[in-house]
């Protein structure tokens, strides 16, 4: 913007093209020019006002009427005012225009001659004209950028949590800049939201989840993610009409980006199979999602209000033989056949890890043989308590006391009903507590008959 360009014309063009309020832009320019003027016209009280007729920002300096002048650039005495033909009293404020443009130099000189008694009007600085023009230019450019960012934010702020399709354009410091909305905006795919196994190139089309729309971001405001679990959920919503209509609902989702995802689904209609709806005819719907995720495997499991059943569904494709629930620790122990143990755990623990995230329960998986060994050891330890023996230990185990620690915290009255008396129950509890704490050592003898039964059982299973 040059000095001889009418600022009013520029403001009109910017307001119309960028959809910015003219009043807001004028106020911004006035403040910017006034701030710049205060750095040039030192020690002066400055005010700025835009003149729509000339297209310039007029500057005015304020002089305070006082008895005795201490600051000659800000004050004027009553005597000086009267000698200059001004009617003023102590406490008044007098406003004088500062003619800073080269074409206004004659007006500045005329004003200086008219008021020779006022020192603040004798110094003329026409060099500020170039500074004012440059300041106006900079502030308009800055305000236009801010307005564009505000408009962009207003346009896309409601897109948070939705899917957005874009074209990869370039790479910046590990992040990927994506052109979205048919080139109307740019979005950023940060390195932390990229799937490690995906190899993207400029020109590639991608679908991403809108993680956030950040108004304060320096670069692109639209922040995308290819790792967010919401990407999986939204892709299924697009592919499965029953989810979009609310008949089928995704209850939970757990994901390890690029490798595997698990989703739990339920149905509000008894006639609609939620898993089948998500899989589609010959797997067409789930395959469409897998293709968009570039080969990521997806397990679709039925949701169940019963936590145990839900965990068993979540651990698929492995089958569960038995479930032991510890509600206080929010933990479940799953017992699976020996030959299904690796399937239940998954590669590097992936299957059980995803199942745990999906259900919200901590899951421990044991093979049947290991559980049998643990139970046999627990029964032998309880049987080693003086006065208990093998038969009573088996009875206690079946009634829910499955270890020395269980006996150590048993209720005396409940245990007395099994062992015959309160004194005996108290003695067993004390002994179990000492043994569990390591204060005493029991002579544990494993039952040979039980070992033979287990071997026969394993042989029968094989």
């Amino acid at each position: 913007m040059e000095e001889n360009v009418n600022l009013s014309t520029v403001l009109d063009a910017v307001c119309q093209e960028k959809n910015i309020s003219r009043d807001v832009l004028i106020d911004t320019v006035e403040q910017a020019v006034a701030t710049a003027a205060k750095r040039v016209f030192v020690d002066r009280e400055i005010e700025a006002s835009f003149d729509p007729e000339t297209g310039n920002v007029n500057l005015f300096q304020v002089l305070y009427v006082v008895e005795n002048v201490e600051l000659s650039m800000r004050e004027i005495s009553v005597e000086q005012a009267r000698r200059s033909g001004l009617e003023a009293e102590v406490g008044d404020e007098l406003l004088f225009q500062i003619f800073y443009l080269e074409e206004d130099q004659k007006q500045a000189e005329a004003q200086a001659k008219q008021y020779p008694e006022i020192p603040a009007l004798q110094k003329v600085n026409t060099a500020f004209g170039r500074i004012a023009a440059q300041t106006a230019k900079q502030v308009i450019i800055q305000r236009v950028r801010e307005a564009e960012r505000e408009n962009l934010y207003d346009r896309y702020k409601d897109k948070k949590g939705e899917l957005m399709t874009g074209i990869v354009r370039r790479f910046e410091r590990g992040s990927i800049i994506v052109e979205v909305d048919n080139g109307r905006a740019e979005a950023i795919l940060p390195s932390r939201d990229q799937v490690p196994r995906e190899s993207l190139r400029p020109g590639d089309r991608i679908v991403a989840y809108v993680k956030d729309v950040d108004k304060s971001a320096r670069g692109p405001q639209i922040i995308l993610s290819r790792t967010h679990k919401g990407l999986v959920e939204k892709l299924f919503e697009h592919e499965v009409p029953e989810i979009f209509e609310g008949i089928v609902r995704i209850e939970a989702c757990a994901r390890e980006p690029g490798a595997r995802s698990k989703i739990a689904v339920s149905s509000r209609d008894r006639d609609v199979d939620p898993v089948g709806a998500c899989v589609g005819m010959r797997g067409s719907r789930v395959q469409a999602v897998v293709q968009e995720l570039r080969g990521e495997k997806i397990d679709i499991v039925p949701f169940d209000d019963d936590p145990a059943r839900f965990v068993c569904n979540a651990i698929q494709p492995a089958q569960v033989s038995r479930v032991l629930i510890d509600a206080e620790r929010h933990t479940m122990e799953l017992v699976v056949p020996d030959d299904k143990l690796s399937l239940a755990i998954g590669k590097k623990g992936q299957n059980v890890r995803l199942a745990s995230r999906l259900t919200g329960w901590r899951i421990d998986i044991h093979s049947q043989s290991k559980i049998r060994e643990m139970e046999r050891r627990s029964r032998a330890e309880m049987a080693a308590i003086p006065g208990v023996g093998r038969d009573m230990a088996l009875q206690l185990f079946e009634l829910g006391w499955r270890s020395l620690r269980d006996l150590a915290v048993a209720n005396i009255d409940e245990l007395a009903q099994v062992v015959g008396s309160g004194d005996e129950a108290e003695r067993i509890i004390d002994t179990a507590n000492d043994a569990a704490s390591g204060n005493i050592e029991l002579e544990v003898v494993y039952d040979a008959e039980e070992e033979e039964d287990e071997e026969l059982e394993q042989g029968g299973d094989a």
Side-chain angles (χ1 to χ4, degrees):
M1 182 189 303
E2 303 297 335
E3 293 179 54
N4 57 356
V5 177
N6 190 299
L7 184 57
S8 184
T9 304
V10 175
L11 294 178
D12 288 338
V14 171
C15 293
Q16 184 175 1
E17 182 181 348
K18 302 298 182 180
N19 193 28
I20 307 174
S21 168
R22 180 182 173 87
D23 292 337
V24 170
L25 199 53
I26 288 174
D27 183 61
T28 305
V29 171
E30 287 177 346
Q31 292 181 25
V33 173
T35 301
K38 289 175 183 177
R39 289 195 290 265
V40 174
F41 300 97
V42 184
D43 296 334
R44 303 195 191 192
E45 185 75 24
I46 299 294
E47 291 183 3
S49 176
F50 177 73
D51 186 347
E53 294 184 3
T54 63
N56 295 324
V57 177
N58 294 332
L59 289 181
F60 300 90
Q61 57 180 323
V62 181
L63 295 178
Y64 299 96
V65 181
V66 296
E67 284 286 354
N68 299 309
V69 176
E70 295 181 2
L71 302 172
S72 61
M73 292 295 108
R74 286 181 176 235
E75 299 173 344
I76 182 176
S77 68
V78 177
E79 289 299 324
Q80 285 176 317
R82 289 174 182 172
R83 285 199 300 268
S84 300
L86 302 172
E87 294 184 4
E89 297 180 358
V90 174
D92 288 348
E93 296 178 7
L94 302 179
L95 217 59
F96 294 92
Q97 187 171 352
I98 298 176
F99 298 100
Y100 59 87
L101 299 175
E102 290 184 2
E103 57 265 30
D104 296 336
Q105 188 171 0
K106 291 183 179 179
Q107 290 179 272
E109 294 172 353
Q111 182 175 247
K113 290 179 181 180
Q114 184 180 355
Y115 303 109
E117 294 284 339
I118 306 177
L121 303 182
Q122 304 309 306
K123 296 181 179 180
V124 180
N125 190 339
T126 56
F128 181 70
R130 292 186 295 274
I131 298 174
Q134 187 64 25
T135 300
K137 174 184 177 180
Q138 292 173 348
V139 75
I140 289 174
I141 292 173
Q142 180 63 28
R143 192 65 186 87
V144 166
R145 288 175 180 169
E146 292 175 0
E148 288 177 337
R149 295 182 67 77
E150 289 173 3
N151 292 337
L152 186 72
Y153 175 78
D154 291 337
R155 188 188 310 159
Y156 294 105
K157 63 182 179 181
D158 295 331
K159 297 288 185 181
K160 183 178 178 180
E162 299 293 331
L163 294 186
M164 192 169 278
T165 302
I167 304 296
V168 175
R169 284 306 175 208
R170 62 186 186 276
F171 297 84
E172 291 184 0
R173 299 178 182 177
S175 298
I176 299 175
I177 305 302
V178 182
E179 185 182 274
V180 296
D181 200 9
N182 295 321
R184 296 177 185 173
E186 282 190 343
I188 186 170
L189 182 63
S191 56
R192 64 179 178 276
D193 290 297
Q194 298 171 26
V195 178
R197 299 181 183 180
E198 285 186 349
S199 178
L200 298 173
R201 299 178 179 178
D204 286 354
R205 170 194 166 278
I206 64 167
V207 175
Y209 180 82
V210 181
K211 187 177 178 181
D212 196 9
V213 182
D214 187 359
K215 190 174 184 178
S216 61
R218 290 186 178 181
Q221 295 174 290
I222 305 171
I223 302 172
L224 304 178
S225 175
R226 288 277 297 171
T227 60
H228 199 284
K229 67 178 184 178
L231 177 61
V232 176
E233 296 173 355
K234 285 297 178 180
L235 284 173
F236 270 104
E237 184 178 313
H238 280 222
E239 292 293 334
V240 183
E242 291 85 348
I243 294 179
F244 181 79
E245 294 168 4
I247 299 173
V248 173
R249 188 165 69 176
I250 298 177
E251 299 286 353
C253 178
R255 186 182 181 206
E256 292 197 356
R260 196 181 203 96
S261 291
K262 284 181 181 283
I263 65 168
V265 292
S266 64
S267 175
R268 296 173 58 186
D269 189 337
R270 293 183 179 179
D271 296 330
V272 176
D273 174 21
V275 175
C278 294
V279 172
M281 186 72 68
R282 297 180 181 177
S284 59
R285 292 174 176 176
V286 69
Q287 282 305 316
V289 176
V290 170
Q291 185 176 358
E292 200 63 67
L293 295 175
R294 306 194 176 210
E296 184 173 311
K297 296 179 181 179
I298 299 176
D299 297 334
I300 305 171
V301 301
F303 174 79
D304 201 300
D305 290 326
D306 182 351
R309 290 182 180 176
F310 184 28
V311 168
C312 290
N313 292 341
I315 207 68
Q316 292 179 5
Q319 298 298 317
V320 179
S321 303
R322 189 162 34 132
V323 180
L324 305 175
I325 302 177
D326 186 342
E328 291 184 3
R329 296 168 57 197
H330 205 64
T331 300
M332 288 195 195
E333 292 187 10
L334 306 185
V335 182
V336 299
D338 289 23
D339 58 343
K340 301 295 182 182
L341 181 62
S342 60
L343 182 64
I345 295 174
K347 186 177 181 181
K348 297 181 179 180
Q350 184 187 78
N351 192 54
V352 66
R353 191 164 55 247
L354 284 173
S356 180
R357 291 180 195 168
L358 188 74
T359 60
W361 283 77
R362 180 181 173 182
I363 301 174
D364 293 328
I365 297 182
H366 303 288
S367 64
Q368 287 180 330
S369 59
K370 182 178 180 181
I371 289 297
R372 280 195 291 263
E373 174 61 25
M374 292 169 60
E375 291 178 349
R376 187 171 69 86
R377 186 183 303 115
S378 292
R379 288 193 292 268
E381 289 174 346
M382 289 192 292
I385 297 175
V388 175
R390 178 193 174 193
D391 293 339
M392 185 177 289
L394 182 61
Q395 185 180 4
L396 292 172
F397 189 87
E398 291 176 348
L399 290 174
W401 291 289
R402 294 179 171 270
S403 66
L404 291 175
R405 293 187 181 279
D406 289 345
L407 284 177
V409 295
N411 181 279
I412 293 179
D413 295 335
E414 292 179 357
L415 188 59
Q417 295 178 7
V418 180
V419 300
S421 68
D423 292 341
E424 181 68 8
E426 186 174 358
R427 185 187 64 77
I428 292 174
I429 291 173
D430 290 341
T431 305
N433 189 35
D434 290 338
S437 303
N439 296 330
I440 62 172
E441 185 173 346
L442 299 174
E443 294 183 8
V444 180
V445 178
Y446 293 102
D447 195 326
E449 293 183 12
E450 192 172 357
E451 287 185 18
E452 292 178 3
D453 292 343
E454 287 183 4
E455 290 175 0
L456 288 172
E457 185 179 345
Q458 290 178 5
D461 290 343

